Amino acid sequence: MICLSETTMKLKELESCLQQVDVFDEPKILLEQYPTSPHIAGCMLYTIHNTFDDIKGKLVADLGCGCGVLSIGAAVLDAGLCVGFEIDEDAIDVFKGNVEEFELPNLDVVQCDVCSLETLSLAKKFDTVIMNPPFGTKHNQGIDMTFLKTAISMAKTAVYSLHKTSTREHIQKKANDWNVKMEVIAELRYDLPASYKFHKKKSVDIQVDFIRFSIK
């Protein structure tokens, strides 16, 4: 599969490329496996790359990488190396299939529980951390903050993440406690498809913040 080189790629071309990424066949509710849409992933990565220059040639981590849409986008945009971290073996199988399909040499994936990563050994090992963490609903309350704290410990420069807009004030307090600068880059509408049988609507819109955390 051929995607354009990062030097010539426009946002629509990046989105088109990411539409070719395979996603979950049977998403797991316990892991909050909502795929990041090609549109949102493209907007995130295009901004990280073009506005902040935090992808090209950088060592990038993708926490809770799922099937790899953010990782693959970062690799297409010429990350030095992007490493995905994912707990679910089925998602990793899809991730590996995507890597083979896209023929990208600058990608790797590690099976692990992000919530229990040995962060001391990974402290400041990555230039940039990108993620679309579980929002921490129902049984997973607080998991979004666990992901964020881990990401901040791993990053040398910046963390880019999606969080429910309704949690912005809480996240700002945590950012202050952790001595990192928080900047809301964009407010997005995250369209959750009716992936699970209990969803009565075809899709549900959730307001989310695309946030950059600068490591001081």
Side-chain angles (χ1 to χ4, degrees):
M1 185 174 296
I2 303 298
C3 286
L4 297 172
S5 69
E6 63 81 24
T7 53
T8 60
M9 185 164 286
K10 296 175 181 176
L11 177 56
K12 284 185 178 179
E13 293 162 344
L14 178 60
E15 278 186 42
S16 177
C17 182
L18 296 179
Q19 282 169 357
Q20 301 166 62
V21 176
D22 289 335
V23 295
F24 308 104
D25 287 328
E26 296 181 5
K28 297 180 173 72
I29 187 170
L30 290 174
L31 298 177
E32 291 190 52
Q33 287 182 333
Y34 298 109
T36 309
S37 73
H39 174 66
I40 286 181
C43 288
M44 288 176 68
L45 293 162
Y46 195 80
T47 302
I48 296 167
H49 175 61
N50 285 284
T51 303
F52 298 101
D53 193 25
D54 278 338
I55 292 182
K56 185 176 181 181
K58 309 290 187 184
L59 184 55
V60 179
D62 177 6
L63 301 190
C65 62
C67 300
V69 66
L70 289 175
S71 293
I72 287 167
V76 166
L77 291 171
D78 214 14
L81 176 67
C82 184
V83 182
F85 293 81
E86 173 58 46
I87 192 171
D88 182 44
E89 192 169 343
D90 292 334
I92 288 174
D93 286 344
V94 178
F95 183 110
K96 289 179 177 176
N98 281 323
V99 171
E100 288 180 14
E101 185 74 17
F102 278 81
E103 300 178 355
L104 293 164
N106 53 341
L107 271 176
D108 201 358
V109 64
V110 176
Q111 184 172 10
C112 66
D113 182 355
V114 170
C115 295
S116 57
L117 267 179
E118 180 48 67
T119 51
L120 282 178
S121 63
L122 293 170
K124 309 300 179 197
K125 288 289 192 277
F126 292 86
D127 299 301
T128 306
V129 179
I130 55 177
M131 61 178 186
N132 179 13
F135 288 141
T137 54
K138 299 187 176 109
H139 55 279
N140 278 340
Q141 199 163 7
I143 194 172
D144 52 338
M145 291 296 97
T146 303
F147 265 66
L148 182 56
K149 189 172 185 180
T150 299
I152 287 169
S153 73
M154 292 169 66
K156 288 188 223 174
T157 304
V159 173
Y160 296 87
S161 187
L162 294 177
H163 296 274
K164 288 169 76 173
T165 302
S166 59
T167 63
R168 186 187 298 176
E169 191 174 325
H170 174 63
I171 294 171
Q172 182 65 72
K173 288 177 182 175
K174 287 291 187 183
N176 293 341
D177 290 344
W178 297 334
N179 195 34
V180 295
K181 179 186 175 185
M182 171 179 152
E183 177 186 359
V184 178
I185 298 171
E187 295 180 25
L188 306 169
R189 296 196 73 80
Y190 194 104
D191 181 40
L192 293 181
S195 307
Y196 306 120
K197 290 176 182 175
F198 67 82
H199 282 162
K200 294 176 182 175
K201 298 179 181 177
K202 288 185 178 178
S203 65
V204 180
D205 274 355
I206 294 180
Q207 286 186 300
V208 297
D209 290 343
F210 173 33
I211 304 177
R212 183 180 197 261
F213 300 89
S214 307
I215 312 303
K216 297 179 182 177

